Amino acid sequence: MRIELEKRAEVSKLFAFVSPLLALVLTLAFGAIMFAMLGKDPVGSLDAFFVEPLLEVWSLHELAIKAAPLILIAVGLAVCYRSNNWNIGAEGQFTIGAITGSYLPIVFYDWHSPLVLPLMLILGALGGALFAAIPALLKAHFNTNEILTSLMLVYIAQLFLDWLVRGAWRDPQGFNFPVSRDFAPEAVLPAIWEESGRAHWAFIFAIIAAIGVWFMLRYTLKGFEIIVLGQSERAGRFAGFSSKKMIWFSFLFSGALAGLAGISEVSGSIGHLQPAISPGYGFTAIIVAFLGRLNPLGIIASGLVLALTYLGGEAAQLSLGVSDKVTRVFQGLLLFFVLSCDTLIYYKIRIVWSRLRSGAA
Amino acid sequence: MSIFEAILLTVITASTPLVIAALGELVTERSGVLNLGVEGMMIMGAVAAFAGAQTSGSPYVGIICGIAAGALFSLLFAFLTLTLVANQVATGLALTLLGLGASGMLGEPYVSVPGIRLEEIVVPILSDIPVIGHVLFRQDLIFYLSIALVIGVSWFLFRSRAGLKLRAIGDSHTSAHALGIGVIRTRYLAVMFGGACAGLAGAQLSLVYTPQWAENMSAGRGWITLALVVFASWRPWRVFAGGYLFGAVTILQLHAQAFGLGIPSQFLSMLPYAATIVVLIIISHNRRTTMINTPASLGKAFVPER
C-alpha cells in the first residue's frame, strides 16, 4: 500500500474550513481509544473530559481564564508565523512579562494608586517585548536560528523567576515558601462579572487583541507586508519591504502580547509570584495558533478548545482517576491531526494498493 | 580514584547522551530533513528504557526498548512530513509536545521507583592504564556505543556509497530523484536512525545519568542537541567535540554549585543554555560559511512528480 499526493490546481476552500474540524473529530476518536485502553468507559470519559466542564456557569468562567493567555499569546505568534519568523519562546516571554509586571506590587507594595494596575500591564508587555528582542536581535544581526535561541531563553527565564521567588522577592512572612508577597487589591485585575465567577479582564484583552490583529492583517499595509514577506522574502524585497524590520516587528509584537498574558495571569488568577506560573501556556499557544489557521478569529475558537483540554484534564483527574498528563497527550495529538489534515487543503490524497496497478495506469 | 578522574567520569556521563542524539540528528539533517522533535523522542526513549528495565529486570532490555521507542516515535514524524508533506518545523514541535505528554502519562507508575543502573564493562589490560584506563575502559555499554557511532557515522557518510547518496539527497532532492535514488525511502530510514539515536540517548539518561524516572528529565537536552548539530556544521567529529564541550559546561556548573562560589545556583544552571546561545551566535554570524555547510534541501518538502 502506498499513499500518493496530487497537487490541487487550486487551494481547497472547503478543506481549509473542514480540516480543523476533522482534526478535532480524529483527536476525539483517538481519545476514546486511549480511554478504552486505560480501562475506562470511552463515551463517559469523553463526556467528563469535554462536555461536563461546559455545563456550569462557574466552569465557563474557568474556561475564559484559561483561554485568555492562550489566545493572547497565539495571536502574537500568528503574526510571527505568518511572516515566517519562528518564535517558540513565548513561554519565556510570558514568564518575564509576569516578573516585570510584578515589580510594582512587590517592590513598591506601599504605593496605593489607581495607576498601579495600568502601569503593571504596560511593564509586563514591555518586559515580554524586551525579552523577545533578544532572539530578534540575534536573528536580524547575527543570522542566528531563532527557534533555538528563543527556546533556550525559556529555561533562562524560568530559572530567573525561581531565583527571584526564592531570593530577593521572597515574602518575608511566607513561612519560607518560595512565593512573593500577595498583591494588594489595587494591583489585582478585576473580574468581569463578579456575581457568577472568577473570569477577569484578561479575556477581554484577548478578544480585543484578536480582533485588532485580524483587522491589521486584513485591512492594513502592515498586514499585507506580513503576509507577503511570509510567503516569499524575495517578493517582499521587490515590494520594498524589509525582512529585517519584520523580524523586529513580529518578535516585539508577539513578545509584548505574551508579556501582557503573563502579568494578567499573575495579577488576575494567582495573586503573587511563585516558581511555576504557567501550565505550559506558551507552548500550547503554538497549537492554538495552528488549529486557528493562524487567523486571529479562528484563534479565539481554538483557544477555547485548548482551554477545554486543561479543564477536562482537571476534571478527568478528579472524576475518572486518570492522570492530568492526559491533557498534554490530547494537545499533542490535536496538533498532529491538524498538521496532517492540512495536507488535504493543498493535495488530493490517493491510496494505491499495489505497485503494479499504478504502473499499468 | 582522584578528583580529576571523578570529574572526567562525570563529564563523560553528561556528554554521552548529547553526542548520541546529535549524531542521529546529524544523519537526519544530512538527508535534508529537519526534525525538531529530538526532545520528544529522547524523553520517550528514557521512559521506555526505564519501563523495559523494570519489567524485565535487565538494563539491556531497557536499552533495546529505548531505541525501539525512539525509532517508532520518529515514524510518526516521518509519515507526516515525508508522506503527507506537513511543515517540518511545526511537526517537530508537535512530536516534542506529544512526547513530553505521553512520557509523563506512561511514566507515572515509575515515579520514585528505584532504578536499575547499567553496569560497567571492564576491558581487561587496557583498564589498568593509570588515569585514562579507569576513565575510558571501565564504562557502560552506551558509552562504547557512542564512540562506535561517531566512527561508524563518519565512515558511512564520507566513505560509503549509501552515505554519498544520502548526502546527495540532502543537497538536492530533485537531482537525486532524477538519478533514480529513492528520496522518500532514504529519508524515512534517516529519520528513524535519528529517532533510534535519540531513544538510546534517552535510555542513557534513565539508566546511567540518573538511574530513575522523573517527568521532563531530558530538561532541554534535545534542544541543545539541535544546536550542537549547527555548531558542528554537520560533521560527526565536531559533534563529538561539541558534545564534550557542552557536557563539560554542565558538569563544571554543578561542581561550581557544590563549591559554593556565592553565585546563586539558578544562575549557574542557566550556563548550558546561555552557552548554547553564545555558541550559536559565534557559528552563525558568518552567513556565507553557514550557507556552504548547511545541507541545501534542509527543511524543504519533496513531492515526486508523477
Side-chain angles (χ1 to χ4, degrees), chain B residues 9-261:
Chain B
L9 277 174
T10 47
V11 168
I12 287 177
T13 315
S15 311
T16 305
L18 297 175
V19 170
I20 294 174
L23 278 171
E25 179 67 15
L26 184 144
V27 171
T28 308
E29 291 193 15
R30 276 278 187 175
S31 82
V33 181
L34 179 66
N35 184 356
L36 295 182
V38 182
E39 181 86 359
M41 302 186 296
M42 201 189 253
I43 196 81
M44 286 302 269
V47 76
F50 192 86
Q54 288 293 326
T55 344
S56 67
S58 155
Y60 292 99
V61 175
I63 292 178
I64 293 167
C65 291
I67 295 174
L72 284 176
F73 200 53
S74 74
L75 258 183
L76 267 178
F77 174 86
F79 179 71
L80 252 75
T81 56
L82 301 177
T83 303
L84 298 180
V85 290
N87 180 313
Q88 292 182 7
V89 172
T91 310
L93 289 170
L95 200 70
T96 291
L97 291 175
L98 184 63
L100 289 173
S103 65
M105 200 170 90
L106 295 171
E108 210 152 62
Y110 300 107
V111 175
S112 71
V113 170
I116 302 171
R117 196 181 197 283
L118 186 61
E119 72 266 29
E120 286 147 16
I121 300 169
V122 181
V123 181
I125 307 168
L126 287 176
S127 58
D128 295 331
I129 307 170
V131 188
I132 300 173
H134 193 108
V135 173
L136 292 184
F137 298 104
R138 280 168 198 259
Q139 283 286 353
D140 55 87
L141 175 71
I142 301 183
F143 166 76
Y144 297 129
L145 277 178
S146 76
I147 304 297
L149 272 171
V150 180
I151 299 166
V153 166
S154 173
W155 175 84
F156 168 79
L157 281 177
F158 301 107
R159 292 274 178 275
S160 82
R161 208 178 150 75
L164 181 70
K165 284 183 183 168
L166 183 114
R167 285 188 291 134
I169 291 169
D171 276 328
S172 169
H173 46 213
T174 34
S175 322
H177 179 66
L179 287 172
I181 305 174
V183 175
I184 302 286
R185 200 186 55 190
T186 313
R187 283 190 175 165
Y188 257 94
L189 292 173
V191 167
M192 283 181 74
F193 179 75
C197 286
L200 177 61
Q204 199 267 6
L205 292 180
S206 65
L207 296 175
V208 179
Y209 194 81
T210 41
Q212 60 179 21
W213 166 252
E215 209 189 323
N216 297 340
M217 67 184 293
S218 49
R221 284 189 185 83
W223 296 106
I224 291 179
T225 291
L226 287 158
L228 257 177
V229 178
V230 181
F231 168 76
S233 49
W234 293 269
R235 280 173 178 75
W237 283 100
R238 292 194 201 169
V239 157
F240 180 74
Y244 274 78
L245 190 71
F246 275 80
V249 171
T250 316
I251 290 307
L252 292 181
Q253 166 265 120
L254 283 176
H255 282 285
Q257 282 187 27
F259 204 63
L261 287 175

Side-chain angles (χ1 to χ4, degrees), chain A residues 204-226:
Chain A
I204 295 180
F205 298 155
I207 301 297
I208 294 173
I211 294 174
V213 171
W214 174 77
F215 184 84
M216 173 178 80
L217 287 173
R218 202 177 166 110
Y219 294 109
T220 65
L221 180 63
K222 194 80 202 166
F224 182 65
E225 194 182 327
I226 290 168

Side-chain angles (χ1 to χ4, degrees), chain A residues 4-5 86 88 138 142-144 152 155-156 159-160 162-163 323 325-326 328-329 335-336 339-340 343 347, chain B residues 80 83-85 89 93-95 98 101 105 108 215 220 223 264 266-267 270 281 284-285 287 303 306:
Chain A
E4 283 185 358
L5 301 183
W86 292 89
I88 307 297
L138 298 182
F142 299 97
N143 189 29
T144 311
M152 291 295 120
Y155 294 96
I156 292 180
L159 286 163
F160 185 66
D162 193 75
W163 170 72
S323 150
K325 313 286 181 315
V326 168
R328 288 248 145 242
V329 176
L335 182 50
F336 256 106
L339 294 169
S340 30
T343 306
Y347 298 94
Chain B
L80 252 75
T83 303
L84 298 180
V85 290
V89 172
L93 289 170
L95 200 70
L98 184 63
M105 200 170 90
E108 210 152 62
E215 209 189 323
W223 296 106
Q266 290 92 345
F267 287 92
M270 287 177 196
I281 297 170
S284 22
H285 83 277
R287 209 175 272 260
V303 185
R306 292 186 208 282

Side-chain angles (χ1 to χ4, degrees), chain A residues 6-164:
Chain A
E6 188 188 331
K7 198 149 184 128
R8 291 179 192 275
E10 258 175 89
V11 170
S12 164
K13 286 225 172 74
L14 172 71
F15 276 108
F17 180 74
V18 170
S19 104
L21 300 178
L22 193 61
L24 273 176
V25 172
L26 284 171
T27 309
L28 289 180
F30 258 75
I33 296 172
M34 186 170 73
F35 280 127
M37 274 163 46
L38 291 169
K40 313 278 170 192
D41 162 36
V43 178
S45 305
L46 286 182
D47 183 61
F49 204 103
F50 289 105
V51 181
E52 273 168 30
L54 296 174
L55 299 181
E56 285 191 66
V57 177
W58 69 266
S59 124
L60 290 176
H61 276 265
E62 297 300 309
L63 190 74
I65 288 177
K66 297 206 156 60
L70 292 175
I71 296 171
L72 266 175
I73 301 169
V75 162
L77 292 183
V79 169
C80 272
Y81 298 166
R82 280 233 171 159
S83 67
N84 211 9
N85 288 298
W86 292 89
N87 179 6
I88 307 297
E91 183 85 1
Q93 293 139 25
F94 179 95
T95 306
I96 295 295
I99 293 171
T100 51
S102 304
Y103 181 72
L104 283 180
I106 291 174
V107 178
F108 293 97
Y109 56 93
D110 281 332
W111 188 47
H112 303 283
S113 151
L115 277 178
V116 171
L117 195 59
L119 282 176
M120 280 164 63
L121 296 175
I122 293 169
L123 278 177
L126 270 179
L130 278 178
F131 204 58
I134 303 171
L137 173 84
L138 298 182
K139 182 180 182 185
H141 293 279
F142 299 97
N143 189 29
T144 311
N145 182 318
E146 77 273 23
I147 298 175
L148 295 174
T149 51
S150 62
L151 225 143
M152 291 295 120
L153 287 167
V154 173
Y155 294 96
I156 292 180
Q158 285 171 342
L159 286 163
F160 185 66
L161 172 66
D162 193 75
W163 170 72
L164 273 180

